[in-house]
Amino acid sequence: MSDENAPWLIAGLGNPGPEYAMNRHNVGFMVADLLARRMGAKFKRATKGQGQAQIVEGRIGPPGPASRRVILAKPMSYMNVSGGPVTALRDFYKVPTARIVAVHDELDIDYGVLRLKLGGGDNGHNGLKSMTKAMGPDYHRVRFGIGRPPGRMQVADFVLKDFSSTERKELDYFVDRATDAVEALVIEGLERAQSSYNS
């Protein structure tokens, strides 16, 4: 399969289980869930050969040649070992690393602000650290700002807490915008998506 015909693999990063569902660390899952709803599809458990994940297969974009085949994934392995399930899906679907998108929370960006980029460091994010260790750094990232912890709160406690009631007032809007950004990245390419969404 040529790179031109290869699917995109969009991995929303988070932790499985209802106790984590509204955590800041799970914003990647929130974006993946909305993307699946837009595709009119439901997540299903990956088969044995595909690894430990929930997946949706489908297309995004306008009907016709501009639409893109995508594999949407939520790794079910816990954030710190996301690299294993994402690599298994990459190998199963023969996805070039440059067509992989990680959607994740980002401490060093203000709440709700987006940054799209290709490659780079992991910035202390354990999900990215695991992915980079497994496949190298040359995948796309859609970074969803969650801001820094207040006062002396530890980073680990902050990311595993639910969004605050104030943050939740705007959360749906920001998740919607992040989902738009993922679609733009896949359909229009990185530069155009960056010019629209890197605020």
Side-chain angles (χ1 to χ4, degrees), residues 80-113:
N80 295 3
V81 284
S82 301
V86 176
T87 305
L89 289 167
R90 178 199 67 176
D91 294 348
F92 185 87
Y93 288 102
K94 300 181 171 52
V95 179
T97 305
R99 286 204 172 190
I100 295 172
V101 183
V103 186
H104 63 92
D105 57 305
E106 179 63 65
L107 285 159
D108 286 337
I109 304 175
D110 288 342
Y111 175 57
V113 173

Side-chain angles (χ1 to χ4, degrees), residues 27 31 100-121 123 125 128 139-147 174 177-182 184-185 189-199:
V27 75
V31 172
I100 295 172
V101 183
V103 186
H104 63 92
D105 57 305
E106 179 63 65
L107 285 159
D108 286 337
I109 304 175
D110 288 342
Y111 175 57
V113 173
L114 297 175
R115 291 276 188 279
L116 283 66
K117 69 174 192 169
L118 173 63
N123 215 16
H125 191 288
L128 297 184
Y139 53 91
H140 288 86
R141 299 100 190 276
V142 174
R143 305 157 74 204
F144 185 111
I146 60 169
F174 287 141
R177 191 164 180 272
T179 307
D180 291 345
V182 173
L185 169 61
L190 179 62
E191 284 185 24
R192 289 187 66 177
Q194 283 176 324
S195 67
S196 299
Y197 293 97
N198 277 18
S199 37

Side-chain angles (χ1 to χ4, degrees), residues 15-179:
N15 287 309
E19 68 272 33
Y20 298 107
M22 290 305 294
N23 286 183
R24 292 182 178 93
H25 224 18
N26 267 45
V27 75
F29 274 18
M30 296 174 199
V31 172
D33 285 337
L34 179 55
L35 202 47
R37 287 201 297 276
R38 289 185 182 183
M39 291 164 68
K42 282 191 162 57
F43 277 97
K44 61 177 199 242
R45 186 167 290 284
T47 62
K48 197 172 178 187
Q50 295 167 325
Q52 196 180 356
Q54 288 187 355
I55 61 167
V56 164
E57 295 182 58
R59 301 188 81 85
I60 60 175
S67 80
R68 300 283 182 267
R69 183 174 163 228
V70 298
I71 316 303
L72 184 56
K74 295 194 294 186
M76 290 285 116
S77 58
Y78 290 98
M79 178 69 87
N80 295 3
V81 284
S82 301
V86 176
T87 305
L89 289 167
R90 178 199 67 176
D91 294 348
F92 185 87
Y93 288 102
K94 300 181 171 52
V95 179
T97 305
R99 286 204 172 190
I100 295 172
V101 183
V103 186
H104 63 92
D105 57 305
E106 179 63 65
L107 285 159
D108 286 337
I109 304 175
D110 288 342
Y111 175 57
V113 173
L114 297 175
R115 291 276 188 279
L116 283 66
K117 69 174 192 169
L118 173 63
D122 56 58
N123 215 16
H125 191 288
N126 289 328
L128 297 184
K129 202 173 284 183
S130 176
M131 282 182 61
T132 297
K133 188 177 178 189
M135 66 180 78
D138 299 325
Y139 53 91
H140 288 86
R141 299 100 190 276
V142 174
R143 305 157 74 204
F144 185 111
I146 60 169
R148 302 294 304 184
R152 295 184 178 178
M153 187 187 290
Q154 294 296 310
V155 164
D157 295 333
F158 180 69
V159 299
L160 293 175
K161 276 199 168 22
D162 288 358
F163 284 101
S164 70
S165 54
T166 306
E167 288 169 333
R168 277 203 296 272
K169 289 174 184 164
E170 293 183 291
L171 183 60
D172 286 350
Y173 167 76
F174 287 141
V175 168
D176 195 65
R177 191 164 180 272
T179 307

